[in-house]
Amino acid sequence: MTVQGIPSPGSGLRLHLNENTGGCSPRVIEAIRAMSATDLSAYPDYRRDVPACARHFGVDPDWVVLTNGLDEGILLTALAVFGRVHDPALEAIVPVPAFDPYLTSTAAVAARTIKVPPGPDFAFPADDVLAAITPHTRLIVLNTPNNPTGQTVPRNTIRRVAAAAPHATVLLDEAYVEFADGSFLNELPAHRNVVIGRTFSKAYGLAGMRVGCVIAHPDVREAIRAVTPVFNMNIVAMTAMHAALSDETFLPRYVAQVRESRERLYAACRRLDIRHWPSSANFVLMRVGDRASEIVTALAAEGVHVRDRSRDPHSPGCIRITAGVLEHTDRAVAALEAVVAAGMIAAGGSR
Ligand SMILES: Cc1ncc(COP(=O)(O)O)c(C=O)c1O
């Protein structure tokens, strides 16, 4: 039987979906336990939730739409941009390799999608993206740090792309920005065509709750809100969001571990002669060579689930490993060492 979603790989460490490998703040569990039956039986009222989220991001509540995970924010943005026009010539630009929902969302709204390949070492292809902009462009998706490469889009490039396409919406997906060095949020007021997407799935460990948001100038925000289901956020998820935001110690502690875990993964790759790319997110992309999918299976047999990205465009032989709790990273490194010891990755052969 096939069901919707991505099936769980079963027991073992989940280092394949860039979740928070340490769970969430204990305050979230306490807050959910304290909920009552009538909390659950009433439709939610977002008058406390939207301002709390806006306060966290330092923006006006009028700029925020809460979304059922950022996945929904991506789909709703595509729907807001393309859903009410029936012009098959209109285009979306998506640099690749990319997070799959950009392509499924633009396909869902029948937008012509222009895929732009990366530069050397997965550098953001700024000139090629700028060159791909036409009068038909209506959506440009930028993802910084990028999933699956971990690379960032330079701030000035975001400005240039936004300025070059005033007739288009620029969706700036910052799902992993807590692990990087700074958000574009402070510049948002200067760019009316930019929508910033954020999520509580990664840094805050609420992936199972589905809490995200999009932030944009009210003109753009209004178009997104117009296609948003009226009760898209459930009350348990909203309770979790407030509790997560009340715990100021959780985030810095986890981010510190992610940064150290990335270093340990780089060090292991250097030791094992595995090509890898320094990442600004909570995962590291590495090239293990022709046997990538066999290696993913072998790592799973060692109790470590990682993601096969070898079929992504421009990513032959690549796998992606989530960097989270240090102990989990050490187990991933030990599993990687076992795979190398078994001769599955030829020394230098992954280059
Ligand atoms: C780049 C990127 N954007 C958005 C998301 C979606 O996050 P959410 O769990 O909030 O739907 C992910 C999740 O993996 C992601 O990698």
Side-chain angles (χ1 to χ4, degrees), residues 269-286:
C269 286
R270 281 194 296 269
R271 242 185 0 261
L272 300 172
D273 199 14
I274 296 173
R275 177 93 189 270
H276 61 287
W277 289 268
S279 164
S280 297
N282 66 337
F283 52 81
V284 175
L285 188 73
M286 54 190 76

Side-chain angles (χ1 to χ4, degrees), residues 17-18 68-72 74 99 102 143 147 173 175-176 199-202 207 210-212:
L17 291 181
N18 307 333
N68 204 276
L70 181 49
D71 277 352
E72 189 191 46
I74 294 162
F99 181 52
Y102 305 149
N143 177 203
N147 176 13
D173 181 336
Y176 298 98
T199 178
F200 290 82
S201 292
K202 311 297 178 180
R210 318 302 302 127
V211 186

